[in-house]
Amino acid sequence: MTASYTLYGTEISYYTGKVRAFLRWKRLPFEEVLSDASVYRNVIVPKVGVRAIPVLVTPQGELLQDSTDIIDAVERRHPEPAVYPAGPVQRFLALWIETVADEWMLIPAMHYRWHHDAEWAMQQFGAVNLPEASPQEQFAIGQQIAAPFAKAAENLGAHAGMREAVEASYEALLDELDAHFKAHPALIGGQPCLADFGLIGPLYAHQYRDPTAGALMRSRAPNLVRWVEQTQLHPAGFDGALLAGDACPDSLLPALRRWASEFLPVLEDTAHRASAWMAEHPGELLPRALGRHRFRLGAAEGERIVRPYSLWMLQRVLDHLGSLTGDDRARVERVAADAGAGALFAFPRFPRLERVGLTVKPAA
C-alpha cells in the first residue's frame, strides 16, 4: 500500500481545494492537517520559507508548495490515472483552463468573499488560526489576518466601479458552465483532468462554500453544483472517460470564449510590462505586482495590479503549443481559434521564468 501523504491546508483555501480533490481522485492516502497559527509558526514558515498553503509532505519527507508543483510532483510518482490528457487538443484545454482558474477566477472569488461575506470570512479565518479560542477572540484575530486578503479583491480589479461588471460576468459564466455540466459530467467528458482540479479551487473553496456565492450557485446552476460536489468530495466516483478523438466539447466553448476575451489582453500587457522590467533589472526577482494596468469586462473598464506570476502559469500553455508540429498543431490551432484563444500562438515573447516562493524571476 502507498505510504501516506500529509496535506497542510484549510477548507477555505482556494488552492488547497485543488490539491485535495486531485489526491482523492488519485486514491492516495493522505492526512489533512489544519494550518493553524502553530502549524504556520512551527512547520510551514521554517521549512518552506513562505506563509502559504497548501503544503504537501511526501512519504519520503519532501515538502512541496504551490498547487501546480504539488500536482506535477505527485503525478511523476503516481502516473495513473493520468491528470494530463494524452491528446494535444485536450492537453491544451487542460493547461489553459488551469491557468484561467488559478489566475483569473481570483477576481470573482475574492469579490464575493470580501464584498458580500467579509464578516463571515473573518470568523472563518479566526477559527482556522485559533481553533481553541472563543468566537469573539477568533473574530478579532480574523480581522487582522483578513486585511491583506480583503485588499486583494480591490487590487485584482473588483473595485467599486467594476463590481457590477464582475458580477455580471460571473453570473453569465455560471449559466455557461451549468449548461456544459448538463451535457457532460466533467469539463472534457466523463472523467476529471487537470482542468477540473484547477477550476475546483475557486468554485469549491470560495464560490460553493461562501454564503452569498454559494446561495447564488445553488439557485442558478444546479448542474455546476453537482460537478463541484463530486469533483471535491468523491472524484473517484467518476466512471467515464475523456471525450473520444481528442475532442473539445462544444458546450464548453462559451466559457472558453469568455475567459479568452477577458484574460488574454491582460496577459499580453503583463508580458510586455514584465519583459521591460526584466530588461532593466536583469536576474532580479520580479515584484509580486508591477504597477497597475487597465482591463475590461464586457463594456466596463477598470484597473488592476499587473501580476507577473500569471506568466509562469501561462508558460506551461505556451510550452505545449510550441512543442506541436504538423497535424497536431493544426488541430490545436483550430480549437484555440474557436475558443477565442488563437492569439496564444502569436503571444508576445518574454524571458523564461522560474518560480521562487510566491513570485518569479528569469530562469538561470
Side-chain angles (χ1 to χ4, degrees), residues 113-304:
R113 175 167 289 182
W114 297 110
H115 295 150
H116 287 283
D117 293 316
E119 290 192 1
W120 175 88
M122 290 172 188
Q123 188 68 51
Q124 293 285 306
F125 271 74
V128 166
N129 200 253
L130 295 174
E132 304 303 322
S134 70
Q136 294 78 13
E137 291 170 322
Q138 290 174 345
F139 186 76
I141 191 65
Q143 286 181 300
Q144 298 177 33
I145 296 169
F149 293 97
K151 188 177 180 181
E154 303 279 331
N155 286 335
L156 290 166
H159 51 79
M162 288 296 286
R163 291 177 193 173
E164 184 176 343
V166 169
E167 294 188 3
S169 174
Y170 175 68
E171 289 175 12
L173 178 65
L174 283 181
D175 295 343
E176 291 158 0
L177 290 175
D178 194 62
H180 170 74
F181 288 120
K182 185 176 181 179
H184 297 281
L187 279 168
I188 314 180
Q191 74 171 55
C193 67
L194 183 68
D196 298 84
F197 299 122
L199 198 58
I200 200 63
L203 290 185
Y204 172 71
H206 284 241
Q207 308 303 79
Y208 172 86
R209 292 189 73 255
D210 290 13
T212 299
L216 175 63
M217 184 186 290
R218 287 171 178 82
S219 67
R220 189 163 186 144
N223 299 296
L224 175 58
V225 168
R226 187 272 311 156
W227 170 85
V228 168
E229 292 174 347
Q230 182 162 13
T231 303
Q232 180 61 215
L233 301 175
H234 47 95
F238 282 101
D239 59 2
L242 298 177
L243 285 185
D246 195 28
C248 172
D250 288 342
S251 55
L252 192 56
L253 289 172
L256 290 168
R257 290 166 183 159
R258 174 174 304 281
W259 287 325
S261 68
E262 294 174 349
F263 193 28
L264 264 178
V266 168
L267 288 169
E268 289 170 350
D269 191 56
T270 301
H272 290 306
R273 290 171 184 257
S275 295
W277 190 94
M278 286 185 278
E280 295 176 0
H281 304 82
E284 294 184 24
L285 281 174
L286 279 81
R288 293 183 69 184
L290 277 176
R292 306 180 82 84
H293 59 175
R294 306 293 292 175
F295 77 108
R296 297 185 67 86
L297 292 176
E301 184 172 334
E303 190 176 79
R304 70 191 305 269

